[in-house]
Amino acid sequence: AKSAGKGCYRFWQSEYLTDVTPERMRLESELREGIENGELELHYQPKVEAETGQHCGLEALVRWQHPKLGLLYPDQFISIAEETNLIIELDRWVIRAVAHQQAEWRSAGFELLPVSINVSATHASRHELVVLFAEILAAYPYLANYIEIELTETAIMANPDQATLSLNSLLEMGVKSSVDDFGSGYTSLGYLKKLNANTLKIDRSFINGITTDFYDRDVAKAIIALANSMSMEVVAEGIETKAQWDLLREFGCQYLQGFYFSRPLTVACMTHILKHRLEEAPMLS
Ligand code: C2E
Ligand code: MG
Ligand code: MG
Ligand code: MG
């Protein structure tokens, strides 16, 4: 990269320009409208128990059905939303949408699975997050056990004192939390204890190499040991092969998530699965 000299500069310059292009600004205002017009949708990716492969939870992942560009993924619009307060609107939409979806599944008679929601760094460091959850739980008290949040390590460390306050307030309401992408950032272990998070999610980048790379394997093992020693649960994300599943089970990782088990699914698919689940194992109560 050093020898690229001039080229690097041009690259930097063009990257800088994309930040302020009319295109990016247009996307921002379109997103603002899109949220109001109902263009966002949630897909749900199951989490499974490592021992059995049985579904034990879901993660809500936002997508944007753009009228002209088609289906957009978070990487294509979350950073735009994060540059402005729009991310607050987006997060609010997601949290409400999950609550409504759970209420709908519940009234259809399905046994609910806990759904975890990704919350942005901006939101994590504001008291509004706690207020919003308090509103949601006042409307749907039974959801305390069925809504959880995921905060990335980076988001937590952007404002660790406020994140600690938020997570502890949520916990008092019965809402559990996970530290997402763990291992990719720099969480101080002192904070990790104070956060009182329920779960560590091992970053996908380590899972990738777990069957081939000693370093990745040792990091995954170390995170599992750390979680155990702090009485936290541990989820490995990004499982794509049976070999990765086998190895993580051997290491004592309790929960897994990844394309090997399921891709993120549309509401229609997820509803079908929840219905089928009910038929296979009818509730006794
Ligand atoms: P994340 O929370 O770490 O979510 C996991 C991402 O990895 C998802 O990408 C998921 O589709 C993908 N993934 C899951 N299993 C596998 C696998 O086996 N292999 C590979 N290659 N990928 C896998 P997605 O949906 O594109 O989301 C990307 C990120 O965007 C999320 O990372 C999260 O940080 C953020 N995000 C997603 N939904 C929301 C949301 O509703 N609000 C906010 N604020 N952020 C969100
Ligand atoms: Mg996540
Ligand atoms: Mg993650
Ligand atoms: Mg991620």
Side-chain angles (χ1 to χ4, degrees), residues 41-43 45 59-63 73-75 77-78 82 87 90-91 93-95 117-121 123 150 152 180-181 201 203-204 208 237-241 244 257-264:
E41 61 185 61
L42 292 178
H43 287 191
Q45 187 181 33
E59 177 175 7
L61 296 160
V62 72
R63 276 88 181 89
Y73 286 79
D75 292 346
F77 59 89
I78 291 282
E82 263 171 348
I87 191 67
L90 189 145
D91 277 354
W93 182 88
V94 171
I95 294 167
I117 298 171
N118 293 284
V119 174
S120 71
H123 219 151
E150 294 191 8
T152 65
D180 205 352
D181 301 350
K201 290 188 86 173
D203 191 58
R204 196 170 79 217
N208 239 333
E237 60 180 5
I239 313 301
E240 294 183 352
T241 67
Q244 290 168 338
Q257 196 179 9
F259 294 169
Y260 179 77
F261 300 101
S262 173
R263 293 200 166 246

Side-chain angles (χ1 to χ4, degrees), residues 65-274:
Q65 194 69 60
H66 188 284
K68 290 193 205 94
L69 303 173
L71 192 66
L72 301 183
Y73 286 79
D75 292 346
Q76 295 166 283
F77 59 89
I78 291 282
S79 74
I80 294 178
E82 263 171 348
E83 285 163 17
T84 64
N85 271 345
L86 198 50
I87 191 67
I88 302 286
E89 297 307 312
L90 189 145
D91 277 354
R92 291 178 82 83
W93 182 88
V94 171
I95 294 167
R96 292 208 171 102
V98 167
H100 292 152
Q101 186 61 66
Q102 288 284 56
E104 207 175 299
W105 281 332
R106 186 181 190 246
S107 60
F110 304 157
E111 198 183 350
L112 295 183
L113 289 167
V115 174
S116 64
I117 298 171
N118 293 284
V119 174
S120 71
T122 318
H123 219 151
S125 59
R126 295 194 180 202
H127 187 62
E128 278 128 290
L129 182 67
V130 175
V131 174
L132 179 57
F133 268 89
E135 277 169 32
I136 298 272
L137 294 182
Y140 310 95
Y142 60 90
L143 281 185
N145 293 320
Y146 296 103
I147 288 190
E148 305 180 356
I149 71 161
E150 294 191 8
L151 263 182
T152 65
E153 207 183 0
T154 319
I156 289 165
M157 291 316 288
N159 196 340
D161 292 319
Q162 185 57 49
T164 304
L165 277 176
S166 298
L167 293 194
N168 279 289
S169 305
L170 288 171
L171 189 62
E172 275 170 31
M173 299 184 234
V175 176
K176 292 179 185 167
S177 55
S178 301
V179 182
D180 205 352
D181 301 350
F182 190 78
S184 67
Y186 316 88
T187 302
S188 117
L189 294 181
Y191 274 113
L192 195 56
K193 200 172 164 67
K194 283 192 268 180
L195 279 173
N196 279 315
N198 187 66
T199 305
L200 290 183
K201 290 188 86 173
I202 309 171
D203 191 58
R204 196 170 79 217
S205 61
F206 301 112
I207 304 307
N208 239 333
I210 198 176
T211 53
T212 49
D213 184 314
F214 288 113
Y215 176 78
D216 287 348
R217 207 185 64 181
D218 288 345
V219 171
K221 268 181 156 173
I223 295 174
I224 294 165
L226 177 67
N228 285 336
S229 74
M230 300 186 83
S231 306
M232 295 173 82
E233 293 181 343
V234 61
V235 179
E237 60 180 5
I239 313 301
E240 294 183 352
T241 67
K242 179 70 165 60
Q244 290 168 338
W245 178 9
D246 289 342
L247 205 56
L248 285 158
R249 192 168 37 190
E250 187 191 313
F251 294 166
C253 185
Q254 296 155 295
Y255 304 105
L256 308 173
Q257 196 179 9
F259 294 169
Y260 179 77
F261 300 101
S262 173
R263 293 200 166 246
L265 303 169
T266 60
V267 167
C269 285
M270 205 56 243
T271 302
H272 184 80
I273 287 175
L274 290 174

